[in-house]
Amino acid sequence: MSSREFWARKSEFVVRHRITAAIAAPVLLGGAVAVAVAVLPDSGPRTAAPRLVSSVTDCHDMVTISVAGRNDSPSASTTKLLLGADGKELPAALSDDYHSQWVDPVVNAPDGKVDKGSYAAVYIAYPANMNSYEDAVNAGVANTEKVMQQIKQACPATKFAIVGYSEGADVVRRVATQVGHQEPAKDGSYAIVDPSKVTGVVILADSGRTAGDGPFPGAQNPYSNPDGFDQKYQNGTTPVSGQGAMPDNSGDFGSLNGKIASFCSEGDLTCAAPQNISLLQLAANVGRQLNVDALQAKGLTPATGQDVATVLARIGFNAFQYIESTPNWMASNETLLQVLLKVSEPGYKPGTQQADPAPAQSISTDQLAPLAYLPQKVLNEVVGLIVTNQNTIPVILSDPYKLTLGPNGTGHHFDYWRDSNAADGKPLTSAEYAAAWLTHLAQQAQAGKQIDTTSTPTATDVQAAYKAAAETRSAPTTTSPPTTTTSTTTTTTPVPTTTKPKASEVAQTLETTSPTATTATTDPKASEVARTPETPKPTTVSPTETHTATTTPNKTATTTPTAQPKESATTDAH
């Protein structure tokens, strides 16, 4: 099959599998705002290279806990999993055994920059699907915490970094929030891990981001750099507009504030959704509880229709029960839309969230029947609907799904591997910066140093880092075009060697992440129905779905987003 025929068939696949217009309102629009956090190309099953099984008892100075996105997670059926101290499998695999074309460039950056055995990265195994987004994320949180606990028990001195992208970003935010807000037991121990042992957290496409937040919430310089890392991410203090599409997961990180890198691209509606889009937020809440995988694969059938009806009925019942149990609700200023938003949140539990309605000022609620408040209530409903949806129509007209998850990786959800702009004071992409920071943290962990929250950059450090970034961009990159066979393709990047301290050492990690654009395919009307890679360009490495594996004979720190070392698989999305 010719390359042209291959891409033509891929395009046809996308068209055939779009979600039908009949379910567009509750699912498509909601997905454009929130469910998109889970959209990633299906990398296909992984085949682990023959190697000795690794155990948590193999201790390291620092371990990065990685949570990739939808359909990008190790499985016991195809990947050697990490063993606990008791010899039983844990829901995780070493990055030597499992490879994510998206997250690898970040979490493998310290390889070769610290002593062998000092650093390791593991990928958390979790459903990573959309049978129920909320169930998948909750399972990811539980598995992440379990693996961290096991490593802590076997290796008390080990430090942790945590990295997540897309659906995995939601997992990581929830884990980091719980870790940062833990209260120690009487003996000083912590249920998950000691927050002081967590050196840094990277969240790529943070759906819980609060409006106005800079990329480093809680840091001394929230728009510039995390505490203890003397390299600037960007110039200026203008925040990305909007907020995360899941405000119910927002909030600070407690004792981890200052150790967080929360990256968001302008236009990525998973983390930069406009305010006052309450109808879309309601649709998003509904979508988080639906079997989106079945909807996009089969369309609206009796089975999927029953799933939609069940979710809507549950939300309606919870709303009715909420209103019935709230004293003088008719006299309050709370609108029905506000109630629906509250009870539609996946974490809502009936009877635990009560409003505090404000009764009418002139007439006692004991003296007037509730229906007397109906005219004012209707007026409040109309006004509230208009006010809280000022941006709903503009978002819909902007084609939100394409804006976030455009075909061939054009959507802003994939900007994190191509969002550098040296002319505007941002010399590194978000992925490059995260890779540099992780390397710095691994080097400090190896040296047994605590994070210095008072460190400031020197002119020499900053100039060295910027120079290294410019040299990396000018380095030639060779790529091989995608193929539908299982033949081996090698991707290489020349690696300059340096031994300078501080920022120059950190800048070496730029060799790990290709500064070129990363792309992925998403169906403009489905969370992830097919993957149509962008045609490779001579100097552009674009991460593509693993319909055909590419293999690098020896895994080095020069992993690029398209490389899938030590694996071979040819699969389809469904």
Side-chain angles (χ1 to χ4, degrees), residues 204-223:
L204 297 159
D206 184 0
S207 61
R209 175 178 166 269
T210 300
D213 271 358
F216 310 104
Q220 296 177 10
N221 301 299
Y223 296 96

Side-chain angles (χ1 to χ4, degrees), residues 96-359:
D96 288 342
D97 296 326
Y98 181 83
H99 304 285
S100 166
Q101 59 188 5
W102 299 95
V103 186
D104 265 3
V106 176
V107 302
N108 289 333
D111 288 348
K113 307 300 190 301
V114 294
D115 293 343
K116 185 176 181 180
S118 176
Y119 174 82
V122 301
Y123 281 101
I124 297 299
Y126 74 113
N129 59 31
M130 293 288 289
N131 291 344
S132 168
Y133 174 83
E134 205 65 21
D135 289 347
V137 170
N138 287 335
V141 171
N143 290 354
T144 300
E145 293 179 353
K146 178 179 181 179
V147 171
M148 294 179 72
Q149 289 166 342
Q150 290 279 315
I151 294 175
K152 172 194 71 174
Q153 291 172 6
C155 308
T158 293
K159 294 181 174 63
F160 296 91
I162 317 174
V163 176
Y165 170 52
S166 197
E167 186 172 16
D170 195 1
V171 173
V172 167
R173 165 173 270 276
R174 299 188 197 195
V175 170
T177 300
Q178 292 182 22
V179 170
H181 286 92
Q182 292 176 108
E183 292 293 336
K186 292 182 179 180
D187 61 358
S189 64
Y190 289 86
I192 307 173
V193 295
D194 186 339
S196 68
K197 295 291 186 180
V198 177
T199 61
V201 178
V202 176
I203 310 175
L204 297 159
D206 184 0
S207 61
R209 175 178 166 269
T210 300
D213 271 358
F216 310 104
Q220 296 177 10
N221 301 299
Y223 296 96
S224 176
N225 54 278
D227 292 343
F229 185 51
D230 60 356
Q231 184 173 343
K232 293 179 68 175
Y233 171 66
Q234 63 185 10
N235 293 333
T237 59
T238 302
V240 171
S241 64
Q243 63 184 15
M246 299 184 187
D248 50 308
N249 293 331
S250 63
D252 67 15
F253 296 90
S255 58
L256 293 186
N257 283 340
K259 300 179 182 180
I260 305 294
S262 169
F263 296 115
C264 179
S265 174
E266 192 72 64
D268 182 353
L269 295 181
T270 65
C271 57
Q275 295 176 301
N276 295 322
I277 54 171
S278 58
L279 286 177
L280 291 181
Q281 186 61 57
L282 177 60
N285 287 349
V286 173
R288 289 162 65 184
Q289 301 172 67
L290 294 175
N291 188 335
V292 176
D293 284 342
L295 280 169
Q296 73 175 47
K298 302 176 182 179
L300 194 60
T301 66
T304 58
Q306 182 179 4
D307 178 43
V308 174
T310 299
V311 172
L312 294 178
R314 181 172 63 246
I315 292 173
F317 177 78
N318 286 341
F320 176 80
Q321 187 181 52
Y322 176 94
I323 292 172
E324 186 180 41
S325 62
T326 302
N328 305 321
W329 184 81
M330 286 293 293
S332 74
N333 293 323
E334 187 174 40
T335 66
L336 178 60
L337 182 56
Q338 290 174 320
V339 172
L340 289 173
L341 284 170
K342 184 177 298 184
V343 303
S344 65
E345 290 179 358
Y348 173 78
K349 295 181 180 180
T352 61
Q353 299 181 14
Q354 292 288 334
D356 184 18

Side-chain angles (χ1 to χ4, degrees), residues 330 370-379:
M330 286 293 293
L371 287 178
Y373 296 105
L374 186 59
Q376 183 64 41
K377 199 70 174 178
V378 171
L379 178 62

